[in-house]
Amino acid sequence: MLDRRMVLAAMPALMIAGRASVAGAAKAGIPEQAGFQAELAPFWEQLAMLPSIREPAREAASDGICYMFTNKDCTVCQVVHQEFPQGFRRLEMRYIIYPWPGEPYRELNYLYRPETTLAEYRAYMGRRLTATSTSDSGAQADLVTAVAAEMAGQLVEGGSFGTPFFFHAVEETPGKLVFSAGDVLAMGPLLDRAA
């Protein structure tokens, strides 16, 4: 059986030029990860427990659901946010704010509310969010960190977690999801750049 840590160890190799088209990659998941479904699948339910900000696919036909761990202070996250300013055309995005050390819980808890809007998320990423929660609890941030640490420990060579990190699922056949995970380079075929 394959060690889960091997799943993302080969991420740079996933950038091979001439990969399948966006539609083909989305329908079948990232081809190079096809053998890791048993290792990736357990994380899907864990991700569903986390507070996320949802952005529906802008086209009726969806290429699945993609969770993205992100933070306003992450340089690469900022590049992704600017390169894909309207989200992803054929993906339902679920943004999870990954807490960076020292980030105030009141701001995080405001973003972790179920009713957080896309406008508030974009204000956060643009460092313009001024609203905060009354709660100083670190429980939600700890939950996000714990799930991310579990994923890193099981999937990432060296066990370290960095943002942005994506986890994608698409329904291959009714009731059967195909999973992919990785950084923005690995997930590139599924994403739509700004025109």
Side-chain angles (χ1 to χ4, degrees):
M1 182 170 183
L2 294 168
D3 184 337
R4 288 186 189 185
R5 292 175 188 271
M6 295 172 60
V7 176
L8 300 181
M11 280 297 125
L14 300 182
M15 296 174 50
I16 299 169
R19 187 186 295 184
S21 68
V22 172
K27 277 295 175 199
I30 295 176
E32 293 87 343
Q33 295 187 6
F36 297 106
Q37 295 306 297
E39 288 76 16
L40 293 169
F43 294 107
W44 190 243
E45 290 184 12
Q46 291 182 41
L47 290 170
M49 306 185 314
L50 300 182
S52 63
I53 303 155
R54 296 186 182 195
E55 180 165 16
R58 289 183 286 134
E59 290 187 1
S62 174
D63 282 343
I65 295 169
C66 189
Y67 285 93
M68 176 183 171
F69 287 87
T70 187
N71 187 283
K72 72 180 189 302
D73 295 321
C74 166
T75 303
V76 181
C77 296
Q78 283 293 337
V79 170
V80 172
H81 183 67
Q82 290 162 18
E83 290 288 320
F84 310 101
Q86 298 303 314
F88 308 108
R89 182 171 49 95
R90 294 176 56 84
L91 287 173
E92 176 183 327
M93 294 301 298
R94 297 183 182 178
Y95 302 106
I96 299 170
I97 307 301
Y98 182 77
W100 275 37
E103 197 159 10
Y105 288 136
R106 287 176 188 259
E107 182 176 67
L108 289 170
N109 287 331
Y110 186 81
L111 293 162
Y112 290 155
R113 301 168 310 137
E115 64 270 21
T116 299
T117 67
L118 283 168
E120 290 167 328
Y121 164 71
R122 291 187 179 116
Y124 165 80
M125 290 303 290
R127 297 185 177 91
R128 297 182 314 275
L129 183 68
T130 57
T132 61
S133 168
T134 58
S135 172
D136 273 326
S137 169
Q140 290 283 65
D142 290 346
L143 177 62
V144 171
T145 303
V147 170
E150 172 69 12
M151 290 176 71
Q154 295 295 321
L155 298 176
V156 183
E157 183 66 29
S160 63
F161 188 86
T163 53
F165 185 85
F166 298 84
F167 197 106
H168 172 251
V170 66
E171 193 170 49
E172 184 180 49
T173 57
K176 179 176 173 17
L177 294 176
V178 175
F179 302 105
S180 306
D183 60 17
V184 69
L185 300 178
M187 299 302 290
L190 298 173
L191 311 181
D192 297 310
R193 286 195 177 276

